[in-house]
Amino acid sequence: MLNLQRFSIGVGDRFAHQARSQLRAFQLAAQQGIDVVPVWNKSNREHTFIGSHPQSVFDAAEAAVQALGWSKPWHVDADHIRLETVDKFLPCSDFFTIDVADSIGQPSDAAALGAFVDGHPELLGTVRIPGIAEPFTTTRADIERVAAKYLLAVREAGQIYRHIADRKGESNFIAEVSMDETDSPQTPPELLVILAALADQKIRLQTIAPKFTGRFNKGVDYVGDLAQFEREFNDDLAVIRFAITQYGLPANLKLSVHSGSDKFSLYPIIRRALVATGAGVHLKTAGTTWLEELIGLAEAGGDGLALAKEIYGYALAHVDELCAPYASVIDIRRDALPSAETVNGWTGPQLANALRHIPSHPEFNASIRQLLHVSFKVAAKAGTRYTDLLRANEAIVAKNVTENLFDRHIKPLLIG
Ligand SMILES: [Zn+2]
């Protein structure tokens, strides 16, 4: 079986120019004795926006692996795929994030529901989970309610999993099931029911991405109750350990944290939990790398800075249209967005400081950062003008990409 190791980080490379500078961050971790597996991820939606093809992600990753002589594991994640989008990812991916969030809450058939509840008497009554102080007390009505909400989604995950397994062979890919893109978070008792149902579907999942409590805004820190997150994260870990034994799920099954970049206040909490339990984690990031490209171009000055400013000006003029698809995952203060004229008067370091995620920096502006995070389509529209500038300013862009990934992500999360 293709096994996902204990620590892995999903990296997004929207324009397929940063695989090497991303991989360098993993090499820096390895030099400090921490093995972290890079997983290059790109969703169907991202490919559509950029006009790229899944094969390009594999090609860029493979070229980086060869150029840097990386001999440890690496993977390519078909991110957030569904039955209707998975096929073009099959030849060039060995990691599949099966997204069934859209089917959460959809009615599932009564016979299947009854069979599930009858088949799981162990979920009823007082359920003691090692590592969780308070046992879960669950009635038949509770199980029915949770199963009614998730069963159809889980059965769809089974369908997609078998579709992939039939074509690739079950031992040749890593399966993740994601339920993060939905309205309400899944509680630890719900996670247990979901894992029981996924096991019934014989899905050999190695990671699961629940929706956690609190807000996971794009490219900025977590917003929510840290104590509650810590409790729930630790309870989720305990539920997973329990479900591995109870339902024979893969022993390396771990949590996947989506929209995981830039969640600086969570990393110490997650790290404490990993150290205390020996658990692993998959942290999925994507857009944080494209922002480092912009920061690098701003610092480069000249044409790079000019294009970065132009992208901001265009984004500001189209703010409603660009932000609409991301309304639930950004919190932009319109009054904090400077006019294009103001930004045009800035130096390169000023724009870089506004964008770079150092919250304590006096020039940092979370609203500019979030707006540009969702504005990668604007750079895609600039086409080779954008990518030629990335090439021309490769060293300064690469430095920013590597530092962001290593210093602000891998280090606080996994090294400390
Ligand atoms: Zn996700």
Side-chain angles (χ1 to χ4, degrees):
M1 177 145 174
L2 183 63
N3 262 297
L4 182 60
Q5 293 193 352
R6 183 179 173 204
F7 300 135
S8 50
I9 293 196
V11 287
D13 182 14
R14 304 221 194 275
F15 300 98
H17 279 63
Q18 306 309 329
R20 260 180 303 163
S21 46
Q22 290 170 327
L23 188 54
R24 242 172 247 126
F26 293 83
Q27 282 186 320
L28 291 173
Q31 282 165 17
Q32 302 219 6
I34 303 290
D35 279 336
V36 191
V37 177
V39 181
W40 278 275
N41 50 245
K42 201 167 190 178
S43 66
N44 189 62
R45 186 172 58 184
E46 243 182 297
H47 280 298
T48 312
F49 285 161
I50 304 242
S52 54
H53 190 273
Q55 182 68 36
S56 62
V57 180
F58 177 88
D59 292 345
E62 189 188 41
V65 163
Q66 280 172 4
L68 270 65
W70 180 257
S71 56
K72 295 170 191 256
W74 58 282
H75 305 288
V76 174
D77 175 7
D79 199 6
H80 284 283
I81 48 88
R82 301 181 48 80
L83 199 55
E84 59 273 20
T85 49
V86 67
D87 282 346
K88 57 179 178 290
F89 290 87
L90 288 170
C92 49
S93 313
D94 60 355
F95 186 126
F96 291 81
T97 299
I98 300 171
D99 179 355
V100 288
D102 282 352
S103 301
I104 294 172
Q106 303 289 328
S108 63
D109 103 288
L113 202 60
F116 175 78
V117 182
D118 291 340
H120 289 282
E122 81 287 358
L123 293 170
L124 279 174
T126 305
V127 184
R128 279 176 212 287
I129 311 251
I132 301 181
E134 279 287 296
F136 300 162
T137 26
T138 336
T139 64
R140 189 177 170 96
D142 291 333
I143 310 283
E144 278 171 352
R145 182 183 46 80
V146 178
K149 188 170 176 190
Y150 292 103
L151 207 55
L152 185 77
V154 166
R155 288 161 69 89
E156 262 187 33
Q159 224 186 333
I160 301 169
Y161 178 83
R162 287 185 293 274
H163 181 91
I164 302 165
D166 286 349
R167 283 152 187 85
K168 288 195 79 79
E170 201 175 10
S171 54
N172 296 323
F173 71 99
I174 293 158
E176 166 165 324
V177 174
S178 72
M179 299 193 165
D180 60 307
E181 297 192 352
T182 185
D183 298 333
S184 54
Q186 291 108 31
T187 62
E190 286 178 334
L191 182 63
L192 180 60
V193 174
I194 292 166
L195 289 172
L198 288 166
D200 283 355
Q201 288 290 316
K202 304 203 171 3
I203 301 173
R204 309 286 300 157
L205 73 161
Q206 298 185 44
T207 69
I208 182 156
K211 183 178 174 71
F212 296 101
T213 183
R215 271 180 87 88
F216 284 71
N217 286 336
K218 296 281 178 192
V220 289
D221 202 355
Y222 175 77
V223 182
D225 182 337
L226 291 175
Q228 191 190 347
F229 176 87
E230 180 154 27
R231 212 163 36 240
E232 289 187 6
F233 191 85
N234 279 282
D235 287 359
D236 281 350
L237 291 181
V239 163
I240 285 177
R241 281 195 305 274
F242 179 79
I244 288 169
T245 328
Q246 180 79 33
Y247 302 118
L249 289 165
N252 62 337
L253 174 60
K254 60 181 179 175
L255 284 170
S256 173
V257 181
H258 283 207
S259 297
S261 79
D262 301 284
K263 302 300 172 284
F264 301 156
S265 57
L266 297 185
Y267 299 159
I269 293 175
I270 297 176
R271 202 169 78 80
R272 267 201 300 279
L274 303 181
V275 170
T277 62
V281 75
H282 182 64
L283 185 86
K284 193 170 283 194
T285 78
T288 196
T289 284
W290 122 259
L291 287 172
E292 296 303 325
E293 291 180 339
L294 273 184
I295 291 168
L297 291 183
E299 281 189 337
D303 291 346
L305 176 60
L307 183 56
K309 287 176 174 176
E310 197 182 308
I311 290 171
Y312 178 74
Y314 185 95
L316 189 64
H318 296 80
V319 58
D320 291 316
E321 168 196 336
L322 288 164
C323 293
Y326 300 95
S328 62
V329 285
I330 48 178
D331 272 321
I332 292 177
R333 273 183 44 214
R334 297 293 176 99
D335 61 349
L337 293 171
S339 70
E341 210 180 354
T342 302
V343 172
N344 282 336
W346 284 358
T347 64
Q350 253 178 307
L351 181 53
N353 290 337
L355 262 177
R356 186 179 288 118
H357 198 189
I358 299 178
S360 60
H361 195 287
E363 286 172 340
F364 174 66
N365 184 319
S367 294
I368 297 182
R369 182 170 168 88
Q370 289 177 89
L371 172 60
L372 286 172
H373 192 291
V374 301
S375 299
F376 61 94
K377 276 180 273 187
V378 183
K381 241 177 57 160
T384 51
R385 219 184 117 213
Y386 180 70
T387 49
D388 285 351
L389 281 165
L390 290 182
R391 258 190 289 272
N393 299 289
E394 192 184 326
I396 192 159
V397 170
K399 178 176 180 290
N400 280 291
V401 169
T402 306
E403 274 180 10
N404 173 52
L405 206 49
F406 183 69
D407 292 339
R408 292 197 282 279
H409 292 84
I410 293 175
K411 228 171 142 182
L413 182 73
L414 301 172
I415 299 174

